[in-house]
Amino acid sequence: MEVTTLDPWAELSRLAWGAVTPKFSYLPEIWRALVNTIAVAFGGISLACMAGSLLAFGFHWTPVRLACAWVRAIHELFWAFLLMPLVGLSPLCAVLAIAVPYAGIFAKVYAEIQQESDQQPLQGVPAQTGWLSRFCFGILPIIYPDVKHYTAYRFECALRSSAIMGFIGLPTLGFHLETAFREGIYSEVWAILYAFFLLIASLKLWVKPRLAALYVIASFAFFAQDVHLSWDNIYRFVTYDILPWPMRRDGVYAGTQAVTFAWAPVWAWLQEIWYGEALQGIWNTLVLTQIVLAGTAVVALLQFPGISRHFANSGTRWGMQGWLILLRTTPEYILAYVGIQLWGPSMLPAMVAISLHNGAILAYLSGQNADLVTLTADASKRQLNRYFYEILPRVYGQFLAFLFYRWEVMMRESAILGILGVYTLGFYIDSAISDHQLDKAIVLIVITALLNIGIDTTSQFVRRRLKISASLVTSG
């Protein structure tokens, strides 16, 4: 952690001044990027929803479960890096980058919702009834509210993912946001951010289930003209670009025929990546992940009383709710980018960004749970005693469960923030892609996915050992 900027407070004052003087006249110039952001989110979430629904039926099969774990372990920005050589810097690249990992997430969540649903309506169904009829008439009506709620939440996440795709050159809001940041035009920065916040806040007003199909069709129609697929690029990517450099150098790919090849150069090449970049990236990613895991817990525990009826009045709760909405709506990538402008590239901006973003999510959930607690008549009137001896013990188990559920997400965020100059795995992946070393980037992305799967497995083990779940004790 270090501050490398000479005068961060001067930059912070300029940023604050931009917040109160947003240049809304700039927004008509970026209307297409705004529409692209929405269209990409609808396109990505629709493909992911369809694929995830199909995969959920086979989620009990180990190969399907492992495949879903694999695709969701890779951040959507990394998927965008992989897909760029195939489809170019187009909205389709962003759509597919969102659809692939979200399909794995939907498959897991939909399968769990179905497994935990009430099976009583199926008891009277004849055994010869087809599985599709059993699902449509016995299970779907029961799980539909939960599926709809989670899909709506994921669409909000897709909007955030769509926006940050612009930071790597794709034509969404992030492209203009990064440009304004780099040029120090903070009035334009805040105009874009306010427009994005308004977009998120108004979702319930314009995103209706009965209009979803219309939105999806309109989205694909909007950017269909920008889709330019080249089968030559796809063939070259599969048969050449992703091959390790020694295989290409030694002529394994020679137009249309393969030649004899020894594995020793490939092994030496892998060792060079492992000792030269991967080990350092893994260590930094794990260090940052564990710091933000603890930081998120502290931020959440300090903030959730501000939205609970047991500690705050209505005015304070409204103000804290607005603050938490701001933090959890702003993508952590943007928060980290702001931090880098103020303090320079180090782990400090990433720590603050990830801790604030995830802490706001957990503070909101913990505050909602705290409001479900019924205090006894002899409960302490002192807020400090009420916090430590009445409320926190009753919500702490569920708080830990939510924290460890977010552990996997924090690891992905720690890795991807390397793109901004923090020496995590994302830094080395971004450097490899910038140097047109796609083979090295793929190796590092595979390592990132394996690391993320390991964190997820560890999280599940810890939750089982601590015997923590989503259950909540609401009274003493």
Side-chain angles (χ1 to χ4, degrees):
M1 294 184 295
E2 59 181 352
V3 176
T4 57
T5 51
L6 297 178
D7 192 1
W9 294 110
E11 197 70 14
L12 183 61
S13 63
R14 294 181 60 232
L15 186 66
W17 178 248
V20 297
T21 58
K23 187 180 178 181
F24 291 115
S25 59
Y26 176 66
L27 294 180
E29 301 179 24
I30 60 169
W31 70 270
R32 188 174 183 87
L34 178 62
V35 177
N36 270 338
T37 302
I38 299 172
V40 164
F42 270 114
I45 209 72
S46 62
L47 293 178
C49 188
M50 289 186 290
S53 299
L54 295 175
L55 291 170
F57 288 113
F59 198 76
H60 58 283
W61 293 331
T62 301
V64 174
R65 190 164 60 250
L66 291 177
C68 292
W70 180 260
V71 297
R72 72 173 184 267
I74 301 175
H75 195 279
E76 47 267 27
L77 280 181
F78 289 155
W79 279 113
F81 279 139
L82 292 176
L83 291 166
M84 274 185 197
L86 301 178
V87 297
L89 284 169
S90 66
L92 180 61
C93 179
V95 168
L96 296 177
I98 292 173
V100 174
Y102 277 38
I105 295 172
F106 276 135
K108 179 178 184 291
V109 174
Y110 288 169
E112 290 177 350
I113 291 175
Q114 182 175 342
Q115 291 168 5
E116 297 173 2
S117 64
D118 184 9
Q119 302 294 314
Q120 188 174 356
L122 295 176
Q123 293 178 0
V125 178
Q128 65 271 21
T129 304
W131 68 269
L132 186 59
S133 297
R134 291 170 62 89
F135 173 78
C136 292
F137 297 102
I139 297 177
L140 184 58
I142 303 297
I143 68 174
Y144 178 73
D146 291 334
V147 169
K148 182 178 72 170
H149 177 75
Y150 184 78
T151 305
Y153 162 73
R154 267 293 144 192
F155 177 70
E156 180 181 332
C157 297
L159 276 174
R160 291 197 292 267
S161 298
S162 176
I164 65 172
M165 290 290 175
F167 278 78
I168 60 173
L170 293 169
T172 60
L173 278 179
F175 178 81
H176 298 278
L177 192 61
E178 185 195 30
T179 302
F181 262 125
R182 288 188 181 278
E183 295 178 356
I185 311 175
Y186 294 124
S187 294
E188 293 182 1
V189 167
W190 281 103
I192 298 172
L193 286 176
Y194 287 147
F196 184 68
F197 294 152
L198 180 62
L199 181 68
I200 297 290
S202 63
L203 284 179
K204 292 184 178 179
L205 300 179
W206 57 276
V207 179
K208 304 293 184 181
R210 62 179 178 273
L211 297 176
L214 179 61
Y215 286 143
V216 170
I217 295 172
S219 297
F220 280 104
F222 179 76
F223 59 71
Q225 56 185 338
D226 295 327
V227 176
H228 304 287
L229 285 176
S230 171
W231 292 109
D232 290 337
N233 289 343
I234 296 174
Y235 181 77
R236 177 182 173 86
F237 177 83
V238 174
T239 62
Y240 183 77
D241 289 341
I242 63 175
L243 293 180
W245 165 244
M247 297 177 70
R248 290 180 283 164
R249 180 193 62 196
D250 296 343
V252 170
Y253 176 87
T256 59
Q257 60 182 2
V259 297
T260 305
F261 172 74
W263 283 102
V266 173
W267 179 245
W269 174 77
L270 290 173
Q271 285 183 311
E272 181 182 354
I273 295 175
W274 177 257
Y275 291 110
E277 300 180 2
L279 276 180
Q280 184 68 28
I282 290 171
W283 173 253
N284 288 338
T285 302
L286 288 175
V287 167
L288 180 57
T289 300
Q290 296 313 108
I291 291 174
V292 298
L293 182 69
T296 295
V298 172
V299 169
L301 292 175
L302 290 177
Q303 292 189 123
F304 88 80
I307 63 169
S308 172
R309 61 183 176 88
H310 296 300
F311 301 100
N313 57 37
S314 58
T316 302
R317 293 201 301 273
W318 274 100
M320 182 57 74
Q321 285 277 16
W323 168 247
L324 294 181
I325 290 173
L326 177 66
L327 289 181
R328 70 175 188 264
T329 300
T330 306
E332 64 282 351
Y333 194 90
I334 295 177
L335 292 174
Y337 196 89
V338 173
I340 287 176
Q341 305 306 308
L342 299 178
W343 306 315
S346 75
M347 280 196 182
L348 179 61
M351 287 164 49
V352 172
I354 300 176
S355 297
L356 287 178
H357 178 76
N358 289 281
I361 295 173
L362 293 188
Y364 171 76
L365 295 172
S366 299
Q368 295 295 310
N369 290 337
D371 283 346
L372 299 177
V373 174
T374 302
L375 297 177
T376 57
D378 59 345
S380 174
K381 301 299 181 184
R382 293 186 60 188
Q383 290 195 350
L384 198 60
N385 289 340
R386 180 178 295 183
Y387 177 80
F388 281 109
Y389 300 108
E390 297 283 351
I391 302 298
L392 188 57
R394 294 173 185 165
V395 302
Y396 194 68
Q398 193 177 44
F399 165 78
L400 282 181
F402 286 136
L403 179 65
F404 285 116
Y405 278 129
R406 298 292 299 180
W407 194 6
E408 173 192 357
V409 177
M410 294 176 203
M411 208 293 296
R412 286 202 301 268
E413 293 169 350
S414 298
I416 197 65
L417 288 184
I419 295 175
L420 297 178
V422 184
Y423 289 102
T424 60
L425 282 167
F427 173 83
Y428 298 104
I429 294 171
D430 184 53
S431 299
I433 291 174
S434 299
D435 294 337
H436 303 288
Q437 296 177 319
L438 192 59
D439 51 345
K440 180 193 290 188
I442 289 177
V443 171
L444 294 172
I445 288 174
V446 168
I447 292 173
T448 305
L450 292 174
L451 187 63
N452 200 65
I453 292 173
I455 290 287
D456 184 40
T457 304
T458 306
S459 172
Q460 294 178 23
F461 174 77
V462 171
R463 292 199 302 270
R464 287 195 300 267
R465 292 285 293 178
L466 294 179
K467 298 179 181 180
I468 52 179
S469 66
S471 60
L472 178 67
V473 180
T474 57
S475 61

